[in-house]
Amino acid sequence: MSHMSAWALKYRGATVEDLDPPPALSTKPTEPISHALMNAFERDYTHLTVVSEDTRALLGYLNIPRLKEMLKNGTVRETDYVEQAMQKFQRSGKIYKVITMDTPLEELEAFFVGGVTGSSSNDFAVVTDGNRRFVLGVATKADLEEFVKRRPA
């Protein structure tokens, strides 16, 4: 039995909503890196979404472990703006998997391992409404693993 099907048995119809993902913490491209780091640290978040100041549209994200590495090797400074360290979402020519609160956990796992779009693996998923207008939360691989550990067999 493959790893994925073994996990699928454990999900038993559960959806992203069952993970109870924390609300997404968003930052703006013009915010200093130091502010974003402090916000992430206070909430123990590993990823922050980056949204447009005008439209609140999702522009990209900050991967906090990657950001710490960039600070350590001098690629960016804490006084630099978030836009200098953020990873931008590629808008054109890429298929996006919409992850909502109703997405089955098997699909979320497939998204994490890159099976849904055939792309590379993903560390986290931005959970949105069905129309991708509002960011509702962020789900990580660790959230999924924790759910499986907590769920009775």
Side-chain angles (χ1 to χ4, degrees), residues 11-145:
Y11 297 141
R12 296 195 303 269
T15 64
V16 169
E17 188 170 16
D18 295 310
L19 294 180
D20 195 21
L25 181 61
S26 296
T27 186
K28 295 176 177 70
T30 55
E31 204 166 279
I33 287 172
S34 59
H35 289 187
L37 266 179
M38 192 170 22
N39 287 331
F41 179 74
E42 286 172 358
R43 292 168 183 84
D44 197 27
Y45 279 20
T46 56
H47 294 82
L48 300 183
T49 54
V50 180
V51 297
S52 162
E53 290 163 82
D54 306 327
T55 64
R56 305 271 310 147
L58 194 58
L59 302 174
Y61 64 96
L62 273 179
N63 175 323
I64 300 304
R66 178 179 172 268
L67 177 58
K68 287 179 181 174
E69 199 57 40
M70 291 173 75
L71 287 163
K72 191 171 138 189
N73 63 31
T75 310
V76 294
R77 297 184 315 270
E78 286 196 13
T79 53
D80 289 338
Y81 294 119
V82 164
E83 65 190 346
Q84 292 171 263
M86 70 185 248
Q87 292 170 270
K88 294 182 177 137
F89 288 124
Q90 301 300 314
R91 297 260 179 236
S92 60
K94 190 164 184 187
I95 299 167
Y96 279 94
K97 169 68 180 155
V98 178
I99 305 288
T100 69
M101 289 294 190
D102 297 325
T103 299
L105 293 185
E106 300 87 271
E107 285 184 30
L108 181 64
E109 183 186 12
F111 173 78
F112 286 147
V113 298
V116 174
T117 61
S119 64
S120 57
S121 64
N122 299 287
D123 294 327
F124 77 108
V126 177
V127 182
T128 66
D129 65 305
N131 296 324
R132 296 193 327 189
R133 289 215 177 103
F134 305 103
V135 175
L136 303 176
V138 171
T140 65
K141 281 184 185 177
D143 295 334
L144 194 57
E145 290 163 4

